[in-house]
Amino acid sequence: MSLRYALIALLTGRPMTGYDISKSFSRSVAHVWHAPDSQIYPELNRMERDGLLDSVEVPWGKKGTKKEYHVTDAGLTTFRKWMEAPLVPQRQRDPAHLKAAYYDFAAPEAVREQLRQQQAYWEEHLAMLEGTRATLVDRSHPTLAARIAKLDEHEAELTVRFKIYAYDGLIARARTELAWIEDGFALLDEMYDS
Ligand code: VNL
């Protein structure tokens, strides 16, 4: 359900074709709400059917056209209502933590390998988040740059600061995951002699 809010959020920046949405989404909103293209395209259709988005045909290639989506007034109202509604806390649901509680059922080498894979993932993810954050700070992120082009400086500052705030939360989490993985290696070393 939140995917539609994530898509409205993106499209409040500027109207986009489905292809632009998919490309831009993966470099921005996906960091806070991951979704594959296989969910995005059908959701855009449903959102247009439900009146949250509207589309116009824009030229594409030599003779073709493409749908460019924009947020309708109804879409913006729906989004604002959701933004101001109470936040429902998401209960814990992470296989890494489920497994961690029962790693006594697995061979230590298998555990070590999974910790290594998790570590590689989080290191890469952290670097990506920090890189993206830097493009928000200097306002060079293309999605953000297009969004703030039509804003005055005070509005632009507000837009940018909240985005940086969101990334600071993601970066802090990634660092915590990495420290926790280190603790996992230390626990293996302590409990199994090699
Ligand atoms: C936007 C731009 C969002 C860059 C982002 O992440 C981002 C935006 C939530 O303008 O919607 O990294």
Side-chain angles (χ1 to χ4, degrees):
M1 195 53 192
S2 292
L3 177 57
R4 37 179 64 193
Y5 300 118
L7 289 166
I8 294 176
L10 181 66
L11 284 165
T12 55
R14 66 178 175 90
M16 287 182 221
T17 63
Y19 174 75
D20 284 343
I21 291 169
S22 141
K23 208 169 51 160
S24 172
F25 190 92
S26 68
R27 292 166 196 174
S28 59
V29 185
H31 304 149
V32 286
W33 197 266
H34 180 266
D37 282 352
S38 61
Q39 284 175 18
I40 291 175
Y41 288 107
E43 189 60 24
L44 290 170
N45 280 324
R46 285 191 288 268
M47 290 168 74
E48 187 174 19
R49 180 200 65 197
D50 295 346
L52 301 171
L53 302 180
D54 200 357
S55 65
V56 292
E57 297 286 333
V58 295
W60 183 259
K62 285 228 163 71
K63 276 193 195 140
T65 59
K66 257 197 156 205
K67 267 187 178 187
E68 186 184 68
Y69 292 96
H70 58 268
V71 182
T72 62
D73 288 346
L76 199 57
T77 302
T78 302
F79 183 57
R80 288 217 161 96
K81 232 166 113 184
W82 179 73
M83 285 300 301
E84 292 179 354
L87 192 54
V88 182
Q90 296 295 296
R91 305 299 298 265
Q92 181 67 37
R93 220 179 211 261
D94 182 344
H97 290 260
L98 173 58
K99 282 189 167 193
Y102 300 95
Y103 267 148
D104 47 318
F105 283 84
E109 255 327 295
V111 178
R112 199 179 299 277
E113 183 53 26
Q114 292 177 64
L115 288 175
R116 274 194 217 106
Q117 284 170 355
Q118 285 286 99
Q119 187 177 47
Y121 167 80
W122 281 107
E123 276 170 356
E124 193 187 322
H125 193 68
L126 175 60
M128 181 281 294
L129 290 170
E130 286 177 328
T132 306
R133 185 189 186 280
T135 67
L136 298 175
V137 171
D138 70 12
R139 303 185 178 190
S140 66
H141 191 296
T143 306
L144 179 73
R147 175 187 293 284
I148 64 177
K150 57 183 187 229
L151 304 180
D152 68 33
E153 179 46 34
H154 177 73
E155 292 168 327
E157 169 86 3
L158 197 59
T159 296
V160 172
R161 291 291 291 272
F162 277 127
K163 280 171 189 53
I164 293 171
Y165 171 66
Y167 277 79
D168 283 345
L170 297 172
I171 288 166
R173 265 199 202 165
R175 291 190 195 288
T176 300
E177 287 292 331
L178 283 164
W180 180 58
I181 290 161
E182 283 299 343
D183 291 346
F185 284 124
L187 182 57
L188 285 179
D189 289 344
E190 185 189 332
M191 300 306 287
Y192 302 96
D193 29 54
S194 42

